């Protein structure tokens, strides 16, 4: 097993262990319905986490994804209620807005060499503020289009794969394809591994960075649309703090905060781990929901320590490799 696969394997092991523990306490956890609900209930968080995984892979960060969820959901609601647009058209508008917003953020980071943390922090305040300017109150959405999508479902066992869950799974598959089967994905890994080397190799660093943030903007806008489908409403308060949950899911899923290493599939497992913890607390009924944050904090400590251990092990191995190489050359 490769060293960079250790966090992914550890993440899968943790998820299986947590699921077994929860199933021993609550046998209902073993039903297909509960498993599918993990995808439904965490769909908008998962879609945000897929987008942010690419940002972290390139050694960047995006703090605006949660604010974008609230902003885009309220925009959809206003477009449908006040301007009487078809929800499908409203969703296309906010997806375009997400791509343009992410492209602008990526351009600022690339052309002006600004820290991603500061640029996306400003973006977070901008998106959240714009959402509140549009409406501080939740706006209900009542449209046959929403009824049609909400009633859509693929029966599996005793459960149903809902439209929002299916959207989450499709975005995950798209992310896996982009990361491992396209030049865009290879460039993202190369930039995160060493941006200077990527430039010297002639890779399109600038355009890739802009595309990465545009993809993250698209995912967060789509998450806002999914949120509006899930709740039948738009709410500027939605997604408050979700950026931290998305980052946590990516890190728990094995993506290194320093960039260059990580798996989109690992992020999916990271989201499901958060879902299992939340479901356990819901089934228990006596624990406060804040225990979810405590459990996430403990898992983050463990996985960050694991990443640190791997980084140190990698540094210690490099001199050995250099010595062996030198020895071979001398012998020749």
């Amino acid at each position: 097993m490769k060293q960079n696969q250790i966090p992914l394997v550890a993440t899968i092991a943790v998820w299986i262990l947590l699921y077994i523990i929860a199933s021993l306490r609550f046998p209902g956890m073993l039903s297909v319905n509960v498993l599918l609900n993990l995808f439904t209930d965490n769909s908008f968080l998962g879609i945000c986490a897929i987008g942010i995984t690419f940002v972290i892979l390139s050694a960047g960060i995006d703090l605006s994804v949660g604010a974008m969820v609230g902003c885009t959901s309220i925009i959809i609601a206003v477009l449908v209620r006040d301007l009487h647009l078809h929800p499908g058209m409203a969703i296309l508008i906010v997806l375009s807005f997400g791509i343009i917003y992410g492209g602008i953020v990526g351009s600022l980071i690339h052309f002006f060499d600004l820290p991603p943390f500061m640029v996306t922090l400003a973006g977070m305040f901008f998106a959240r503020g714009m959402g509140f300017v549009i409406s501080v109150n939740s706006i209900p959405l009542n449209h046959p289009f929403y009824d049609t999508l909400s009633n859509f479902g693929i029966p599996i066992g005793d459960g149903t794969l809902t439209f929002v869950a299916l959207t989450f799974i499709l975005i995950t598959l798209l992310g896996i394809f982009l990361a491992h089967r396209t030049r865009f994905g290879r460039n993202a890994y190369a930039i995160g591994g060493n941006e200077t080397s990527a430039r010297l190799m002639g890779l399109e660093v600038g355009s890739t960075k802009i595309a990465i943030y545009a993809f993250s903007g698209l995912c967060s806008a789509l998450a806002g649309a999914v949120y509006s489908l899930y709740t039948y409403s738009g709410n500027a308060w939605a997604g408050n703090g979700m950026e931290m949950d998305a980052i946590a899911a990516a890190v728990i899923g094995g993506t290194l905060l320093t960039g260059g290493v990580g798996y989109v599939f690992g992020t999916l497992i990271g989201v499901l781990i958060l879902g299992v913890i939340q479901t356990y607390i819901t089934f228990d009924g006596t624990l406060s929901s804040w225990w979810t944050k405590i459990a996430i904090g403990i898992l983050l400590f463990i996985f960050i320590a694991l990443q640190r251990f791997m980084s140190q092990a990698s540094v210690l191995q490099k001199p050995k490799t250099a010595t062996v190489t030198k020895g071979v050359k001398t012998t020749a």
Side-chain angles (χ1 to χ4, degrees):
M1 182 172 59
K2 295 180 180 178
Q3 190 180 31
N4 59 8
Q5 293 175 337
I6 293 176
L8 176 62
V9 174
T11 300
I12 296 173
V14 167
W15 180 63
I16 293 174
L17 179 63
L18 288 176
Y19 212 95
I20 290 174
I21 293 173
S23 300
L24 290 175
R25 176 80 188 278
F26 306 106
M29 287 286 296
L30 292 174
S31 69
V32 177
N33 187 39
V34 172
L35 180 61
L36 293 178
N37 280 343
L38 290 180
F39 287 89
T40 299
D41 297 339
N42 297 282
S43 53
F44 36 93
L45 168 62
I47 293 171
C48 282
I50 297 301
I52 212 169
T53 298
F54 282 88
V55 176
I56 298 176
L57 278 175
S58 67
I61 198 72
D62 190 349
L63 300 178
S64 63
V65 296
M68 281 292 288
V69 171
C71 181
T72 52
S73 73
I74 200 70
I75 289 175
I76 291 173
V78 168
L79 290 176
V80 173
R81 186 193 65 175
D82 298 342
L83 300 183
H84 307 293
L85 285 183
H86 189 278
M89 180 59 68
I91 290 173
L92 285 178
I93 290 173
V94 297
L95 293 183
S96 302
F97 169 68
I99 294 173
I100 294 171
Y101 165 83
I104 292 173
V105 168
S107 298
L108 289 172
I109 292 171
H110 171 62
F111 290 113
F112 297 96
D113 198 22
L114 297 174
F117 181 91
M118 296 306 299
V119 176
T120 57
L121 180 66
M124 179 185 75
F125 283 112
F126 170 79
R128 187 66 73 187
M130 196 170 75
F132 288 137
V133 167
I134 294 171
S135 176
V136 294
N137 298 317
S138 176
I139 299 176
L141 282 164
N142 297 308
H143 195 281
F145 179 76
Y146 272 70
D147 294 332
T148 302
L149 293 183
S150 296
N151 292 330
F152 173 83
I154 302 174
I156 302 176
D158 63 344
T160 301
L161 183 64
T162 62
F163 180 80
V164 294
L166 183 62
T167 304
F168 174 29
I169 292 172
L170 290 177
I171 288 296
T172 302
L173 293 176
L174 174 64
I176 292 173
F177 175 77
L178 289 175
H180 302 293
R181 290 290 183 269
T182 66
R183 178 183 294 180
F184 168 73
R186 289 191 291 272
N187 289 352
Y189 277 98
I191 293 171
N194 191 316
E195 185 172 334
T196 303
S197 298
R199 290 183 191 279
L200 294 174
M201 291 169 63
L203 301 181
E204 306 92 342
V205 173
S207 59
T208 303
K209 268 190 176 182
I210 295 171
I212 287 171
Y213 283 93
F215 182 68
S216 180
L218 170 65
C219 287
S220 54
L222 179 60
V226 169
Y227 172 86
S228 70
L229 282 168
Y230 183 78
T231 63
Y232 270 65
S233 67
N235 190 343
W237 290 95
N240 189 22
M242 188 178 288
E243 60 276 358
M244 295 304 169
D245 290 337
I247 293 171
V251 173
I252 292 173
T255 302
L256 292 186
L257 282 170
T258 51
V261 176
Y263 296 90
V264 174
F265 180 73
T267 299
L268 167 65
I269 302 299
V271 171
L272 293 180
I273 286 176
L274 304 188
V276 169
I277 295 171
Q278 185 64 52
T279 303
Y280 181 93
I281 291 173
T282 303
F283 275 29
D284 184 88
T286 60
L287 295 173
S288 165
S289 62
W290 291 110
W291 278 100
T292 305
K293 303 297 182 186
I294 294 172
I296 294 172
I298 294 172
L299 286 174
L300 270 178
F301 276 128
I302 293 173
F303 279 90
I304 290 173
L306 178 62
Q307 292 181 5
R308 182 65 175 170
F309 170 77
M310 287 175 53
S311 300
Q312 289 182 340
S314 178
V315 170
L316 291 174
Q317 284 182 356
K318 283 182 180 178
K320 293 180 181 179
T321 305
T323 304
V324 171
T325 305
K326 185 177 179 181
V328 172
K329 286 182 178 178
T330 304
T331 302

